[in-house]
Amino acid sequence: MPQEKVIVIDFGGQYNQLVARRVRECNVLCEIYSWRKPLDEIFAMEPKGIILTGGPNSVYAEGAASCERRLFEAGIPVLGLCYGAQLMMQVLGGKVERAENREYGKTELHVDKTSPLFYEVKENTICWMSHFDYISEIAEGFRSTAQTQSCPYAALEDEAHKLYGFQFHPEVLHTPEGSKMLRNFVYRVCGCSGDWRMDSFAARQIEAIREKVGDGRVLCALSGGVDSSVAAVLLSRAIGKQLTCVFVDHGLLRKNEGDEVEAVFGPDGPYELNFIRVNAAERYYEKLAGVEEPEKKRRIIGEEFIRIFEEEARKLGTVDYLVQGTIYPDVVESGLGGESAVIKSHHNVGGLPEHVDFKEIIEPLRDLFKDEVRAVGLNLGIPKNLVFRQPFPGPGLGIRIIGEVTAEKVRIVQDADAIYREEVDKALSLYEEEHGGEEAPWKPNQFFAALSNMRSVGVMGDERTYDYAVVLRAVRTIDFMTAESANIPWDILQTITTRIVNEVRGVNRVLYDLTGKPPGTIEME
Ligand code: XMP
């Protein structure tokens, strides 16, 4: 029996990989392809179902992403989401028009319970809308199966032909019953049995890596973060000592982090890796002097990484492959994930120079979200404290210092961040102790101090000061694609503020950032 799979056709929306991930959560293999992929190749993969994603354009715009009518006539169940639903209507004879106002945000949805997609979904539920265009007429054979106040065709279906459409986004967490709806599509409409498991990911990757690498030599960029650590352990399981890990201390790490990474992956740690630490702080500060633009900083940091790897590789002799712990959000937000718009170029993807001295780059985690990477990490037996470490961006404090990076600013942000982490960790442990092991409801998934480029007047010990403002950021997020600011209790923030202004030279003000993502991003640059 071939592995059952659902195919997601990508029309360029920001949430497309989330759709695939929701399908994987149903234990069904899911692959994403661009809408440009020839339909016959899609059919040849014999998908059990096809999902058409959202996208940034209008279906009637010139040159808009499109699809052939045959897609809807092959007898394969199709679910269109937002743009995908509009496209289905346009191709099949319905009508899509520009609304006067954009509908955006959480919206009440009334569903028709007789639709298989709304099995066990509440009759009145919430959905996440984000669209300009709307379906004003449905194609023949379709009926409306859900409505919102302003949207008569929030969901529609032609059950006889197994064609379904949602104007809203079931894949995001803002549609609380969205996963259930997708699950209904995958199981009740496509008839999948759910026999695919995430645990097999590590085993399959190890096999694939062995086959690809043969007896070649591999160099791994190890940052000590979750992603590159999982990638390194995966590679070491696959090819053992053919792997050399290079850890670049770029002087933009959190306080003491370089030594902590060396303690785990170095010769005294539990892994049998070839480990090389390169201390390159001075080199980085020189390159970054006078540079303020965030994308430029990312490019410089990324390029210097590659230069250092090349140097280390040359010292080692022949190196055939370079491994990176790129994960899916890095790919999509760098604009390489298919059709989505570029938000930031993460150093390990978009900033890669074209000429590198390696045959190929291996990115074993490229299709996974953070929590899926963690699941793989646990599956590989990596210690929990490492697996659940909070994420840290490749360009490090370089993008947590707004504007020019200097050694002095690095020192300030490191010290402030160390105090912040110490106090938050203390408060979290205390909460758990007092609540029988229960996690604090405000526990952030990522939190850090950043240095604003703002200096302001203050007074300390009767003296005028003119110092920097530190920004504290803390977010709650599951997938890092959307996030909301964490409600760290006021008294804890006050303790942190007092400690930072008292203990960190050069800081006279502390601000707390309440912005969500969107409209912000998690990092401030
Ligand atoms: P944003 O700021 O894009 O962050 O909302 C989402 C997640 O990605 C991390 N991040 C980066 N990681 N290189 C990285 O390797 C980068 O340039 C970068 N920028 C953001 C961020 O810490 C968060 O976990």
Side-chain angles (χ1 to χ4, degrees):
M1 278 286 285
Q3 179 72 56
E4 62 184 21
K5 95 167 63 147
V6 165
I7 286 181
V8 170
I9 300 188
D10 180 2
F11 289 96
Q14 281 286 320
Y15 306 127
N16 297 347
Q17 193 70 15
L18 267 182
V19 178
R21 183 250 169 76
R22 297 283 172 250
V23 175
R24 293 203 292 264
E25 283 169 356
C26 301
N27 297 322
V28 172
L29 179 62
C30 185
E31 288 169 6
I32 301 195
Y33 296 100
S34 161
W35 61 275
R36 293 188 178 86
K37 192 171 181 72
L39 197 52
D40 289 323
E41 290 178 25
I42 302 272
F43 287 160
M45 290 184 265
E46 296 181 22
K48 299 277 282 186
I50 293 177
I51 301 179
L52 313 180
T53 73
N57 298 319
S58 285
V59 288
Y60 46 74
E62 204 174 314
S66 187
C67 70
E68 296 174 54
R69 194 181 172 99
R70 288 194 294 139
L71 173 65
F72 306 111
E73 296 171 341
I76 302 169
V78 180
L79 171 62
L81 305 178
C82 195
Y83 184 91
Q86 295 168 0
L87 187 62
M88 184 189 287
M89 285 305 98
Q90 196 203 32
V91 171
L92 295 177
K95 208 164 164 193
V96 178
E97 288 182 89
R98 189 80 171 177
E100 266 179 30
N101 295 311
R102 179 178 187 208
E103 193 181 14
Y104 183 81
K106 286 186 188 172
T107 311
E108 274 178 42
L109 182 78
H110 179 81
V111 310
D112 177 342
K113 300 271 298 169
T114 61
S115 164
L117 295 195
F118 299 130
Y119 176 72
E120 288 189 342
V121 170
K122 289 191 215 92
E123 203 166 333
N124 292 302
T125 183
I126 298 288
C127 70
W128 178 259
M129 288 284 190
S130 171
H131 63 109
F132 265 121
D133 294 342
Y134 74 107
I135 295 165
S136 55
E137 258 172 55
I138 46 179
E140 205 184 309
F142 280 82
R143 66 180 185 115
S144 167
T145 51
Q147 305 81 35
T148 69
Q149 187 146 31
S150 61
C151 193
Y153 306 115
L156 42 95
E157 71 184 37
D158 172 350
E159 205 176 348
H161 295 96
K162 298 203 174 193
L163 302 177
Y164 303 82
F166 290 162
Q167 178 57 73
F168 56 91
H169 290 275
E171 68 275 24
V172 301
L173 294 170
H174 301 304
T175 303
E177 297 192 275
S179 293
K180 216 183 276 174
M181 299 172 195
L182 289 169
R183 175 170 287 268
N184 285 338
F185 176 70
V186 166
Y187 285 117
R188 306 185 84 82
V189 175
C190 304
C192 292
S193 59
D195 56 2
W196 184 78
R197 291 282 175 276
M198 197 63 212
D199 335 340
S200 55
F201 180 89
R204 278 184 292 119
Q205 281 292 325
I206 288 171
E207 261 323 290
I209 291 165
R210 279 189 188 138
E211 197 168 306
K212 174 173 219 159
V213 170
D215 55 9
R217 293 188 67 172
V218 182
L219 186 60
C220 176
L222 180 66
S223 71
V226 185
D227 308 338
S228 67
S229 300
V230 171
V233 174
L234 198 58
L235 261 290
S236 84
R237 286 281 159 81
I239 55 164
K241 291 274 183 175
Q242 280 164 258
L243 173 72
T244 299
C245 288
V246 174
F247 167 57
V248 178
D249 184 342
H250 50 20
L252 302 168
L253 298 168
R254 284 167 288 200
K255 199 171 181 175
N256 302 330
E257 196 167 20
D259 296 340
E260 286 164 18
V261 171
E262 185 167 350
V264 176
F265 290 101
D268 301 330
Y271 300 108
E272 290 198 18
L273 301 167
N274 294 314
F275 179 83
I276 297 172
R277 175 172 175 174
V278 184
N279 292 315
E282 291 311 319
R283 190 165 158 176
Y284 271 90
Y285 298 159
E286 260 167 48
K287 288 265 171 192
L288 289 168
V291 181
E292 294 186 351
E293 210 277 311
E295 287 297 278
K296 195 163 176 205
K297 288 200 262 180
R298 279 193 169 81
R299 268 198 307 281
I300 291 173
I301 296 169
E303 213 164 300
E304 208 53 22
F305 251 98
I306 297 294
R307 295 287 92 82
I308 292 173
F309 287 130
E310 284 171 351
E311 287 166 24
E312 291 306 314
R314 247 173 261 133
K315 285 186 212 158
L316 289 172
T318 332
V319 169
D320 304 286
Y321 298 93
L322 175 67
V323 182
Q324 291 199 44
T326 315
I327 68 170
Y328 191 73
D330 305 335
V331 179
V332 72
E333 300 211 340
S334 297
L336 301 179
E339 310 293 332
S340 313
V342 178
I343 310 286
K344 292 178 181 182
S345 53
H346 288 196
H347 86 273
N348 41 4
V349 200
L352 210 60
E354 276 168 32
H355 302 287
V356 287
D357 289 346
F358 310 98
K359 197 153 79 186
E360 214 179 308
I361 292 189
I362 302 180
E363 296 174 313
L365 310 175
R366 197 180 164 91
D367 293 332
L368 304 186
F369 280 90
K370 198 74 162 198
D371 51 342
E372 293 176 318
V373 173
R374 293 203 165 104
V376 173
L378 291 178
N379 190 247
L380 285 167
I382 301 176
K384 263 193 168 165
N385 60 351
L386 217 164
V387 166
F388 288 98
R389 193 169 174 168
Q390 60 166 315
F392 187 64
L397 303 181
I399 56 163
R400 290 184 180 172
I401 292 169
I402 311 292
E404 188 190 9
V405 175
T406 63
E408 172 67 358
K409 288 182 179 173
V410 170
R411 194 258 320 148
I412 292 177
V413 80
Q414 277 180 336
D415 287 349
D417 184 70
I419 292 171
Y420 188 25
R421 280 189 290 140
E422 188 187 319
E423 291 297 331
V424 169
D425 288 342
K426 201 159 79 186
L428 286 170
S429 307
L430 193 66
Y431 186 99
E432 285 182 24
E433 256 170 51
E434 288 172 353
H435 293 80
E438 200 185 301
E439 229 171 51
W442 51 267
K443 183 179 178 173
N445 304 95
Q446 188 170 3
F447 65 99
F448 55 85
L451 189 62
S452 81
N453 213 7
M454 179 189 96
R455 289 207 288 166
S456 67
V457 175
V459 53
M460 222 181 257
D462 295 336
E463 293 281 323
R464 176 187 191 269
T465 58
Y466 187 57
D467 283 335
Y468 284 107
V470 159
V471 180
L472 303 180
R473 182 118 174 94
V475 296
R476 285 179 57 81
T477 172
I478 291 190
D479 48 39
F480 296 84
M481 305 289 274
T482 58
E484 48 198 45
S485 77
N487 280 325
I488 299 186
W490 223 232
D491 55 330
I492 300 169
L493 289 173
Q494 267 160 348
T495 306
I496 295 163
T497 302
T498 308
R499 277 199 62 194
I500 291 176
V501 288
N502 284 344
E503 296 173 35
V504 184
R505 212 173 358 100
V507 178
N508 66 356
R509 211 172 276 269
V510 176
L511 311 173
Y512 191 59
D513 182 354
L514 292 179
T515 323
K517 171 183 180 176
T521 54
I522 294 174
E523 300 292 344
M524 295 204 305
E525 279 201 332

